[in-house]
Amino acid sequence: MCLRPEDSSEGKVTAGTPGQTAPSGGEAAGGETAGGEAAGGETAGGETAGGEAVGRDGGPPEVEAFLGDRPTRRLEDWRQLWERDLPFPIRSHRGLAGRVLVAFKRLLRPLVHLPQKDLWERQRIFNLILLGHVQDLGRRLEHQERVDRDLERRIEELDGRTSHLENFLRQGLDEVMRHDDALFGRVDRKLDRYRREADELAGLLRSALARDGDEEAAMLRSSVDDASYLDFENRFRGGEREIRQRVRSWLPRLRQAAPVLDLGCGRGEALALLQEEGIRCRGIDSSGAMVRRCSRQGLQVEQGELPGALAGVEPGSLGGIVSFHVIEHLPPKAVDRLVRLAWTALRPGGILLLETPNPLSVAVTAGSFWLDPTHVRPVHPETLRASYESAGFARVEQFDLRPYPEEERLPEIPLDGLDGQSRELADRLNRLRDELDDLLYGCRDYALIGTRPG
């Protein structure tokens, strides 16, 4: 900032118009003589211990507050200095020569000030604006500091409350967990006891039914067998969500084949999915337990033995007949009859979709196929194709389903890093591995779709 020297005497400098002088007495406004000695060592306005300047009567600071080695550091004092446009005194510490020099400067100052008056006024306005911004920034900083302190205080309070709540919740959860563990333990023990008692009763019932041969006992045996098979399917066939996902892949073919009849609908996964997709459908199953389960789901299912129940279907009334993992439960002649009856029940362009375990996979025929004691025999895909073609179906398509995951198949020899005879031998072994892997771990299921010609 540029401070303008103005006309003044060595006496007191008053706030007001530049160039106003006080009576000369050889003493400056701060009580300092022309020789530079201050009276009492203080400025005219005085200064507090904190560096804040005040006037003689506690009002605005005088010019002396801005002189010397320790000028005031208060922005408000500097703003008032520029607003009041206080002139600075001309001084000298050189005795008589200094007084002559001061008088000479006083004569020259009006000549220097006049051409610079406009520039000085712009500088003064700029300084006032700048000081205003700096003061505003200072006030904002002070406000932000107060806000920060308040936030820190609140955060400390919240931390304390949060810690208290965490301790309270931890203690409460520990207490609840202790009670829950004890409760679950009691429930588990009761369930185990009820399960043992139910198994024991079921065993006694089966034993009694095996000894009794009348008609009522036969019906009761059938109900027990149905319930047992339902439990078997839940354990070994797969969850309902998994079965629905498998059936979903056939939806593009079945959307144009309504109405659809599901032979051996079981738990009703396929029927439920078709119904959700807006495809008209119904089912037939020989198990009363399965029929009741499907009825509770709002599915249209009737009880009947296969393939005889298909004989009662009106000829040419169906657009699609599906059967998932049913024909392996039937003897060969029953399978062939089912295919022929399906051809009769379908309209021209209708499709017959039969899905069954793949007997070409050794892992299936030697393992998983015989988990189900109701399986009669695997159905070879070529045998089933012959039944389709003999019945009159055209365009018989085969689909290999559910390949074994790679981690369960035979490992392949990596060829990276091999050359010459070693690479050739490894490649031949890999080709042999592919043939053996297909034989051992072929797809687990297959399906045939045949279309009745129009």
Side-chain angles (χ1 to χ4, degrees):
M1 273 183 265
C2 177
L3 293 179
R4 174 173 66 119
E6 282 291 349
D7 289 330
S8 64
S9 67
E10 294 182 3
K12 176 181 178 181
V13 180
T14 62
T17 305
Q20 184 179 8
T21 61
S24 68
E27 189 175 0
E32 186 178 4
T33 63
E37 295 179 359
E42 294 183 1
T43 61
E47 188 173 346
T48 65
E52 298 181 0
V54 293
R56 293 180 181 273
D57 55 357
E62 301 293 344
V63 173
E64 295 297 336
F66 305 93
L67 302 178
D69 295 334
R70 295 179 61 193
T72 178
R73 302 183 63 84
R74 293 183 71 244
L75 293 178
E76 179 60 24
D77 293 343
W78 285 97
R79 186 186 64 78
Q80 291 188 24
L81 171 70
W82 286 102
E83 279 186 348
R84 295 157 62 198
D85 200 13
L86 297 178
F88 275 29
I90 298 177
R91 293 176 179 173
S92 176
H93 303 280
R94 302 177 183 176
L96 182 60
R99 293 185 180 183
V100 174
L101 182 61
V102 167
F104 180 71
K105 287 182 178 181
R106 287 174 179 169
L107 291 174
L108 289 179
R109 183 152 56 182
L111 301 178
V112 174
H113 169 65
L114 187 62
Q116 295 180 347
K117 185 175 183 180
D118 184 62
L119 177 62
W120 173 262
E121 184 63 20
R122 289 199 299 270
Q123 179 67 47
R124 188 178 73 87
I125 294 173
F126 172 78
N127 290 348
L128 287 172
I129 293 173
L130 183 60
L131 283 170
H133 284 299
V134 173
Q135 285 182 302
D136 184 59
L137 180 60
R139 286 190 293 269
R140 292 184 182 182
L141 289 175
E142 291 177 0
H143 175 71
Q144 187 61 45
E145 288 177 357
R146 289 194 299 270
V147 171
D148 290 344
R149 287 193 297 269
D150 185 58
L151 286 176
E152 290 177 358
R153 178 180 57 79
R154 294 185 180 183
I155 289 173
E156 290 177 357
E157 293 177 357
L158 290 176
D159 286 342
R161 294 178 182 178
T162 302
S163 299
H164 175 71
L165 288 176
E166 287 177 349
N167 292 332
F168 179 77
L169 288 175
R170 189 180 300 110
Q171 294 173 2
L173 287 175
D174 290 343
E175 187 69 20
V176 170
M177 290 300 295
R178 284 195 296 270
H179 287 292
D180 283 351
D181 289 342
L183 179 60
F184 289 150
R186 293 175 60 188
V187 171
D188 288 340
R189 287 192 294 273
K190 287 186 176 182
L191 289 176
D192 289 339
R193 189 185 70 189
Y194 295 153
R195 191 179 296 111
R196 288 193 302 269
E197 292 176 356
D199 291 341
E200 184 178 356
L201 289 174
L204 292 174
L205 178 60
R206 293 189 182 96
S207 177
L209 292 174
R211 293 192 299 269
D212 199 339
D214 59 19
E215 184 178 351
E216 293 182 356
M219 293 177 60
L220 190 54
R221 272 197 303 273
S222 177
S223 298
V224 172
D225 291 342
D226 289 343
S228 298
Y229 191 73
L230 179 59
D231 180 65
F232 175 86
E233 279 210 337
N234 291 333
R235 292 181 60 187
F236 293 105
R237 191 182 176 203
E240 294 187 26
R241 181 179 299 180
E242 179 185 353
I243 302 302
R244 286 166 64 96
Q245 193 62 34
R246 296 183 202 170
V247 176
R248 188 176 294 277
S249 62
W250 301 115
L251 287 179
R253 301 293 293 266
L254 298 176
R255 292 186 193 280
Q256 309 301 323
V260 176
L261 176 62
D262 186 0
L263 301 177
C265 57
R267 297 174 298 189
E269 299 96 340
L271 288 176
L273 179 61
L274 294 175
Q275 186 169 286
E276 290 174 5
E277 295 294 327
I279 302 172
R280 287 189 297 130
C281 58
R282 60 189 179 91
I284 296 176
D285 202 278
S286 61
S287 168
M290 297 294 186
V291 173
R292 289 190 295 272
R293 180 186 179 96
C294 291
S295 298
R296 287 194 296 269
Q297 301 178 58
L299 304 175
Q300 184 181 351
V301 179
E302 60 186 67
Q303 186 172 358
E305 294 293 334
L306 297 177
L310 194 55
V313 177
E314 182 181 352
S317 62
L318 298 174
I321 297 176
V322 298
S323 185
F324 302 102
H325 289 260
V326 172
I327 59 174
E328 64 270 17
H329 297 265
L330 303 176
K333 290 184 179 181
V335 174
D336 188 67
R337 186 184 178 210
L338 183 149
V339 174
R340 293 177 186 275
L341 290 174
W343 188 93
T344 303
L346 289 170
R347 65 173 179 258
I351 62 172
L352 172 63
L353 188 162
L354 299 179
E355 182 180 308
T356 187
N358 180 19
L360 301 182
S361 171
V362 174
V364 172
T365 54
S368 59
F369 184 85
W370 302 110
L371 277 174
D372 190 341
T374 64
H375 283 176
V376 175
R377 55 178 290 177
V379 181
H380 197 286
E382 293 303 320
T383 303
L384 187 58
R385 179 185 293 272
S387 294
Y388 268 72
E389 294 173 349
S390 175
F393 285 97
R395 294 188 309 167
V396 180
E397 306 169 76
Q398 179 175 339
F399 300 87
D400 294 325
L401 309 172
R402 298 178 62 216
Y404 279 93
E406 287 297 326
E407 57 269 18
E408 296 184 18
R409 302 171 71 96
L410 296 177
E412 185 175 354
I413 301 175
L415 300 180
D416 296 339
L418 300 179
D419 54 9
Q421 293 183 347
S422 299
R423 186 180 185 86
E424 182 180 355
L425 178 60
D427 185 58
R428 292 174 61 186
L429 289 174
N430 280 338
R431 288 197 296 270
L432 179 61
R433 170 260 176 202
D434 293 341
E435 296 178 5
L436 184 60
D437 189 69
D438 289 339
L439 177 63
L440 295 176
Y441 300 103
C443 290
R444 285 172 279 193
D445 301 326
Y446 78 92
L448 287 189
I449 294 182
T451 304
R452 176 174 174 172

